[in-house]
Amino acid sequence: QAHLVESGGGLVQPGGSLRLSCAASGFTMDYYAMAWFRQAPGKEREGVSCISNTDGTTYYADSVKGRFTISRDNANKMVYLEMKNLKPDDTGVYYCDRAICKGWIPFRSWGQGTQVTVSS
């Protein structure tokens, strides 16, 4: 059974940076694209970034392009999201999941998520 544990969130001022981590277990991560999703208060969960398992192609939502960087470490079953120049609109709970990158389709094996709050 897939198990995902997100960490690294926190309170940061606008313009600040955070690095989120996701520890995966219960499945062979090499076989799956991995993605980060986020859910802001009162809004639906949305795809933020995705990374292919085959050639490392990365995908980003328009709102985070140029500011966020996704990476993966298959050997250690970790996925990362480096976030820079954070904005208040980036506030939300961030989740990682297996996914189909095109279409931002999650497998819905959600963990507890990690809260990111961008506020002065």
Side-chain angles (χ1 to χ4, degrees):
Q1 182 175 351
H3 188 54
L4 298 154
V5 179
E6 301 90 348
S7 61
L11 173 63
V12 63
Q13 292 186 344
S17 300
L18 283 173
R19 187 190 193 213
L20 305 184
S21 299
C22 170
S25 61
F27 64 98
T28 305
M29 203 176 85
D30 307 48
Y31 295 166
Y32 297 92
M34 297 295 297
W36 286 93
F37 296 82
R38 69 184 178 192
Q39 188 163 19
K43 295 186 177 181
E44 292 189 357
R45 200 166 302 190
E46 63 176 353
V48 173
S49 184
C50 193
I51 184 166
S52 165
N53 62 306
T54 54
D55 59 4
T57 299
T58 55
Y59 303 82
Y60 298 94
D62 288 344
S63 59
V64 307
K65 279 181 183 175
R67 300 187 298 120
F68 289 13
T69 303
I70 189 172
S71 61
R72 61 190 294 161
D73 177 355
N74 288 343
N76 292 299
K77 304 190 77 172
M78 296 292 295
V79 185
Y80 302 100
L81 187 67
E82 191 79 39
M83 306 187 295
K84 298 181 179 179
N85 191 21
L86 283 160
K87 303 176 180 181
D89 283 350
D90 295 319
T91 294
V93 180
Y94 283 69
Y95 304 87
C96 70
D97 196 8
R98 295 171 293 175
I100 298 172
C101 291
K102 293 184 179 179
W104 299 103
I105 302 172
F107 279 54
R108 300 185 180 276
S109 46
W110 304 116
Q112 85 287 350
T114 186
Q115 175 72 47
V116 172
T117 303
V118 185
S119 175
S120 55

